[in-house]
Amino acid sequence: MGTKRTTSFYVLSFVFAAFLIFLYGPMFCVYLLSFQGPEGGMSFPMRGFSTVWFETLFTAGGRGVGDIHNSFIRSLRLGAIVALLTMLIGLAVGMSFRRRYPGGNFVFYSAIVSMIVPGIFVGFGISLTLNMLGMRPQWWYSGIGAQLTWSLPFAMLIMFIILGRMDKSYEEAATDLGANSFQRFQYVILPLILPGVIGMFMAGFTSSYEEAARAGLNIGTGNTMPMELTGLLGAATTPVMFAVGTLTTLFMFTMVIVTLLASWSLAKRRQLRLTAHHA
Amino acid sequence: MKIDTDFNAKNLMPEAEPPVEDGATKYDVELVAVSKSYDGGAKAVDTISLRIPKASYCCLLGPSGCGKTTTLRMLAGHESVTDGDVLIHNRNVTDGAPSARGTSMMFQSYALFPHLSALDNAAFSLKIKGVKKAERHAKAMEFLKLVQMDHLAHRMPAQLSGGQQQRVALARSLITRPKVLLLDEPLSALDPFLRVLMRTELKRIQTELGITFVHVTHSQEEALALSDLVVVMSDGQIMQAGSARDVFEKPSNAFVAKFIGGHNVIDVEGRKVSVRADKCRIVQSVGGTNIPAEVTNIEYQGPMVRILVKDSDGKEYHAQISDSRFFADPPVIGEKVTFSWMPEDEWRLAA
């Protein structure tokens, strides 16, 4: 230590600090305001400190809460299915790119394009097409399909990075030792890319949970969380929505921590199995 | 580096096959006019034919891009053969799956599965075959013992040094009881000290098991030290295949003489000859051919000293002389000397 810090250090520190404030500052305001006193409003100052807005949220037919409970369940259900499909399809797409095949580039670029086109028009387009076909949108096909156009490109990129880093000679070694393609996948490739596969699931879930632009017109009856929140926030008069913000953040953090703990215990169990051999 | 006396490595290998009537099993590996080209382009391997006798140590030697690794990978079945046939133990395996050929490959990077312990890596092929856990671990332990890695059987690859990883990779390959073991630059990732140690080890294991090893290398020193059969390759073709001594003493052409090292390639009366550097003399003429030259560099190599000289046309030669002879009358850089050799030391090269 003791080296003199350059100007660029201070400039970059300032930019980083500004980033932190922009990211977490408003969130902390939301968290803080969710503990607003019963007499308080939707902005500062705080008038006392209470959990009354959380209680309102969990009271059946609470004022300003709308259909939030059901929309949470719907979002959860949709997210879980989208995450699972994203993981499975992403895995298959990634594996298919282990070998070059004609049309491979087309598949790749058309998937990337889906990250660029504005979501609202993707959603509108799907809805319009369904209309022309005389079909009614339902969450379990058009809703899921619309969200997959958003989550799959990310899954594909995750797989490309993970598989691109994997030494091809692992597969050749497995083949050399007699493994067929299924055994190769089961015993060698999957264990090596497992963190990435879990990553795809998480990316699928988070991108579905907060997505409304594509799903909005295609979900059929019954709002999801982001749709319900957008509606409620427009007409909100009490800090009850802030309580939703606090809880949903807590929920996402829990998801992340559970995932991390799961992968950690997976590694730990492997280690334990090895130590057991030692004894 | 001794193994237990009650541990007979040969027991780990397949039963000797009954001899075939026509006696063609004199060879473990035969390549018949084998070629490899990619997308119809230039040939990476161009119509090579080669026979590797039973239980021999064969080195494929050549510079980068000469086709030696491609040849090995075609033997292993990891690269398709464009033209020609590959025979192993007199059986045509040209289109056979890698694991059905009786070969096993040791990869340059070792390719140990990072999520499996040394023991599970070694036992991998048995797991694939459906061998019960206790049985396959016992068997894997035997092979780890052969490569002196049984004491580290429960380590993960990341916890092993390069040399240790290589031993595990060797055990993992040998447990498949290959007729031919294929090694892709097995020593190139090791430091020089370990390289010499592992070289000895590879030769010991090959001798003990009595199977053929095909070893790809770009080090002539490695090839000469290990091989029963040295195959020098360049531009997808075999330049020379023969015993280490033959290749060194009687290089077939200028490429081999230069690549194998320790030779001067000289034009004598319009034809190319090679003269071993250790047969050349500096200062005192040995009679024979004399060239006036100037010393440009001196490399001390322990028992020998290598002296580089340049004649008036700027052509370079080198001589290797014993240290005692060198220090009796050491030339210095820039000194005018006579570079000479005896006509009987000239070896005529193919044009």
Side-chain angles (χ1 to χ4, degrees):
Chain A
M1 295 317 267
T3 50
K4 200 175 171 297
R5 283 181 163 149
T6 57
T7 322
S8 59
F9 170 83
Y10 292 104
V11 172
L12 290 172
S13 299
F14 174 78
V15 171
F16 183 60
F19 167 75
L20 288 183
I21 290 168
F22 257 78
L23 179 63
Y24 293 108
M27 276 167 59
F28 271 107
C29 289
V30 166
Y31 304 150
L32 203 56
L33 283 169
S34 69
F35 292 97
Q36 178 73 284
E39 305 300 316
M42 285 184 73
S43 60
F44 291 109
M46 293 287 285
R47 290 172 141 187
F49 209 75
S50 77
T51 55
V52 69
W53 305 111
F54 292 92
E55 286 159 29
T56 312
L57 185 59
F58 285 105
T59 314
R63 193 163 62 87
V65 172
D67 193 23
I68 199 91
H69 304 108
N70 286 324
S71 60
F72 176 68
I73 300 293
R74 282 186 211 110
S75 271
L76 216 56
R77 184 178 60 186
L78 184 68
I81 296 170
V82 167
L84 195 68
L85 287 174
T86 302
M87 183 179 82
L88 292 177
I89 299 171
L91 192 58
V93 171
M95 286 306 293
S96 81
F97 274 93
R98 294 297 281 162
R99 311 262 179 282
R100 293 181 60 179
Y101 59 89
N105 274 345
F106 176 75
V107 174
F108 176 75
Y109 287 114
S110 56
I112 295 303
V113 163
S114 138
M115 296 173 93
I116 302 164
V117 290
I120 190 91
F121 288 109
V122 174
F124 183 67
I126 294 172
S127 151
L128 195 68
T129 311
L130 285 179
N131 209 358
M132 289 192 307
L133 294 173
M135 294 164 78
R136 283 184 43 186
Q138 299 280 352
W139 72 271
W140 50 266
Y141 73 97
S142 53
I144 288 172
Q147 290 205 325
L148 283 177
T149 64
W150 178 232
S151 65
L152 277 179
F154 289 102
M156 200 177 82
L157 288 183
I158 291 174
M159 277 298 280
F160 275 19
I161 293 164
I162 298 280
L163 286 172
R165 273 200 306 227
M166 202 178 91
D167 190 346
K168 231 182 153 78
S169 61
Y170 291 138
E171 282 174 83
E172 285 184 345
T175 310
D176 209 76
L177 295 165
N180 61 30
S181 57
F182 185 73
Q183 291 167 321
R184 204 159 59 218
F185 179 75
Q186 182 187 2
Y187 294 133
V188 177
I189 300 173
L190 192 57
L192 291 179
I193 63 170
L194 198 59
V197 175
I198 295 172
M200 277 194 296
F201 184 89
M202 287 306 292
F205 184 82
T206 49
S207 54
S208 160
Y209 187 71
E210 62 179 14
E211 205 279 330
R214 292 164 186 77
L217 286 168
N218 298 296
I219 205 77
T221 49
N223 281 350
T224 58
M225 273 285 271
M227 294 160 67
E228 188 71 16
L229 280 179
T230 315
L232 287 174
L233 276 171
T237 50
T238 66
V240 70
M241 282 304 105
F242 298 146
V244 175
T246 305
L247 286 178
T248 199
T249 310
L250 211 60
F251 169 70
M252 289 314 276
F253 271 109
T254 311
M255 286 281 293
V256 171
I257 289 165
V258 164
T259 313
L260 286 178
L261 281 179
S263 5
W264 179 75
S265 86
L266 218 70
K268 188 82 187 166
R269 250 188 28 214
R270 192 174 282 162
Q271 201 57 47
L272 277 176
R273 219 168 53 221
L274 287 173
T275 341
H277 275 303
H278 262 302
Chain B
M1 296 290 162
K2 286 292 284 179
I3 56 163
D4 304 345
T5 42
D6 60 336
F7 181 76
N8 187 349
K10 280 218 161 95
N11 291 344
L12 299 175
M13 284 297 117
E15 297 289 309
E17 289 173 9
V20 175
E21 301 89 65
D22 62 7
T25 46
K26 274 196 304 188
Y27 301 104
D28 272 352
V29 177
E30 288 176 79
L31 297 175
V32 186
V34 169
S35 291
K36 174 74 190 181
S37 51
Y38 294 98
D39 303 328
K43 283 186 172 175
V45 171
D46 189 3
T47 335
I48 63 167
S49 292
L50 177 70
R51 287 170 154 182
I52 304 175
K54 273 221 158 305
S56 42
Y57 205 115
C58 170
C59 281
L60 303 181
L61 173 67
S64 307
C66 72
K68 57 190 193 300
T69 298
T70 309
T71 305
L72 191 81
R73 289 173 57 82
M74 285 195 287
L75 270 173
H78 293 303
E79 202 86 63
S80 64
V81 175
T82 310
D83 213 356
D85 285 312
V86 177
L87 279 76
I88 294 191
H89 279 212
N90 207 31
R91 196 164 60 89
N92 193 331
V93 296
T94 313
D95 300 313
S99 58
R101 300 179 161 219
T103 58
S104 185
M105 177 135 165
M106 225 179 87
F107 292 84
Q108 187 175 6
S109 54
Y110 316 136
L112 289 180
F113 304 128
H115 60 295
L116 299 178
S117 66
L119 187 68
D120 281 326
N121 261 287
F124 188 84
S125 63
L126 299 177
K127 181 177 184 168
I128 294 298
K129 278 189 194 148
V131 177
K132 290 266 182 313
K133 192 169 187 172
E135 195 185 330
R136 70 172 187 256
H137 278 177
K139 199 84 204 162
M141 216 53 183
E142 275 182 59
F143 279 85
L144 287 177
K145 196 178 263 178
L146 173 72
V147 295
Q148 288 143 13
M149 279 298 295
D150 44 326
H151 62 299
L152 298 175
H154 300 290
R155 290 258 184 103
M156 301 302 272
Q159 299 168 308
L160 298 172
S161 71
Q164 291 167 339
Q165 288 185 24
Q166 176 165 57
R167 285 163 188 269
V168 176
L170 192 59
R172 184 179 70 173
S173 277
L174 290 174
I175 206 167
T176 64
R177 296 163 177 265
K179 294 168 182 147
V180 177
L181 184 71
L182 308 168
L183 307 104
D184 185 10
E185 307 214 11
L187 305 173
S188 61
L190 304 178
D191 63 64
F193 176 75
L194 209 54
R195 199 175 297 161
V196 175
L197 209 72
M198 273 312 292
R199 188 169 88 189
T200 316
E201 190 81 339
L202 284 176
K203 183 73 185 174
R204 171 184 75 81
I205 290 170
Q206 187 265 331
T207 313
E208 269 176 29
L209 298 176
I211 62 170
T212 286
F213 277 28
V214 182
H215 172 141
V216 160
T217 180
H218 54 251
S219 154
Q220 39 82 21
E221 185 197 335
E222 215 168 282
L224 293 180
L226 284 168
S227 302
D228 300 311
L229 176 64
V230 180
V231 179
V232 186
M233 294 184 68
S234 172
D235 286 330
Q237 289 179 317
I238 293 177
M239 294 286 113
Q240 187 170 7
S243 70
R245 193 175 167 197
D246 268 1
V247 170
F248 187 71
E249 290 189 349
K250 301 167 186 165
S252 64
N253 57 31
F255 175 84
V256 177
K258 280 178 187 156
F259 193 77
I260 208 81
H263 288 266
N264 289 290
V265 176
I266 307 167
D267 285 310
V268 177
E269 291 150 16
R271 58 194 171 79
K272 273 199 188 326
V273 299
S274 71
V275 183
R276 277 167 53 174
D278 59 320
K279 303 283 188 189
C280 295
R281 293 288 171 263
I282 299 286
V283 187
Q284 312 110 303
S285 165
V286 288
T289 314
N290 295 302
I291 294 176
E294 186 186 319
V295 177
T296 58
N297 202 4
I298 295 169
E299 289 175 3
Y300 177 66
Q301 298 175 334
M304 303 290 272
V305 180
R306 183 164 175 258
I307 303 168
L308 281 91
V309 301
K310 200 188 260 183
D311 69 9
S312 52
D313 298 333
K315 189 167 175 5
E316 285 194 317
Y317 304 89
H318 62 130
Q320 266 190 318
I321 62 178
S322 72
D323 61 333
S324 51
R325 192 191 286 270
F326 175 83
F327 287 114
D329 182 17
V332 292
I333 291 174
E335 194 175 329
K336 301 268 189 269
V337 293
T338 303
F339 182 83
S340 62
W341 66 88
M342 298 296 284
E344 62 264 32
D345 290 325
E346 289 175 6
W347 172 256
R348 197 164 166 180
L349 299 168

